Amino acid sequence: YLQRAMELDPDQASIHWTLAGISFLQEWNWDKAEEEFQLAISANPSDAMVRGLYAQFLACMLHNDEAELQNQIALELDPANSLIRAWHAVVLTQIGYHEEGLKAAEELLADEPNNNLAANAVELAAFHIGDQERSFEAGMLFTHYSEEERKTIESIYSNEGFSAAMWEILRI
C-alpha cells in the first residue's frame, strides 16, 4: 500500500513518516530513515509526531544537539500530547539531561497515572541518575508478571537489591 501511495502522491508527509519509522525501528537503515524524516518534515513541518520520533532517532544516532532541537519543537507543537511528552522525557534522558527527563516523566505520570510509557520514562531516567528504588518502582507499575512472579521479584529486590531483582526479571 505504501508503494501505491507513493505513486499517487510522492510528497505525502504520512508516507515518509511511515517509511522513516520502518527504516528506523524495523530495518535499522539509518541513512534511509534520515532521508525519510527529512522528506516528512519538509512536507509537513508542523507534525509533532514526526518531530518527536525524529528526536528519538537523532538521540540514538548521538546527534544530541539536533535531537534536543527536534524534541523541543515537537513539544511546542503539541504540548498536551501524552506520547510527545513521554518521548520528550526519554530524549532528555538519552541526551544526558537525566534530572530534566525524570521531572518531565514524573509530571506526565502524575497527570496520567495509568500511562505505561510515562512509567517507562521514569524508570529510565531514575536509573540514569542512580535512583534504583524509583527506577524499580516505576518499572514494576505496569508489568505483565503473574502475582507469584511479582512477589518473587519484589522479595529479591527487598532482600538482595536492585541488581539481583533485574537478573530475576531477565530470567523470567
Side-chain angles (χ1 to χ4, degrees):
Y1 291 112
L2 281 172
Q3 184 61 39
R4 180 67 177 135
M6 284 288 286
E7 291 168 7
L8 294 172
D9 187 359
D11 297 323
Q12 178 66 21
S14 62
I15 296 167
H16 295 290
W17 183 79
T18 302
L19 291 171
I22 291 168
S23 299
F24 169 35
L25 299 169
Q26 292 178 340
E27 297 174 347
W28 295 9
N29 184 336
W30 314 135
D31 292 335
K32 183 177 178 188
E34 175 70 31
E35 179 184 336
E36 293 297 342
F37 276 120
Q38 291 296 326
L39 290 169
I41 289 170
S42 293
N44 185 0
S46 299
D47 190 325
M49 296 296 284
V50 172
R51 299 282 188 158
L53 188 58
Y54 187 39
Q56 296 281 322
F57 170 77
L58 290 167
C60 289
M61 297 297 107
L62 303 177
H63 299 290
N64 292 352
D65 292 342
E66 294 171 68
E68 184 177 9
L69 175 64
Q70 293 300 323
N71 198 33
Q72 190 58 42
I73 292 170
L75 191 61
E76 288 170 5
L77 288 169
D78 197 354
N81 184 312
S82 298
L83 183 56
I84 295 296
R85 291 176 65 196
W87 284 351
H88 175 73
V90 170
V91 168
L92 287 172
T93 300
Q94 286 178 303
I95 65 175
Y97 297 115
H98 308 303
E99 294 284 349
E100 294 87 343
L102 180 59
K103 181 181 178 199
E106 286 183 328
E107 287 173 0
L108 176 55
L109 194 57
D111 290 346
E112 299 179 17
N114 294 323
N115 188 314
N116 189 24
L117 192 52
N120 288 332
V122 169
E123 178 184 16
L124 176 66
F127 178 81
H128 279 285
I129 64 166
D131 187 345
Q132 292 178 341
E133 184 174 348
R134 184 69 181 117
S135 179
F136 180 78
E137 289 171 0
M140 293 300 287
L141 283 176
F142 298 104
T143 59
H144 299 288
Y145 302 117
S146 69
E147 188 61 31
E148 181 180 328
E149 290 168 333
R150 178 181 290 279
K151 285 180 182 178
T152 299
I153 294 166
E154 290 172 349
S155 174
I156 290 171
Y157 176 76
S158 295
N159 296 320
E160 300 175 44
F162 183 82
S163 293
M166 294 301 105
W167 281 112
E168 179 63 17
I169 288 169
L170 290 173
R171 189 191 69 73
I172 295 173

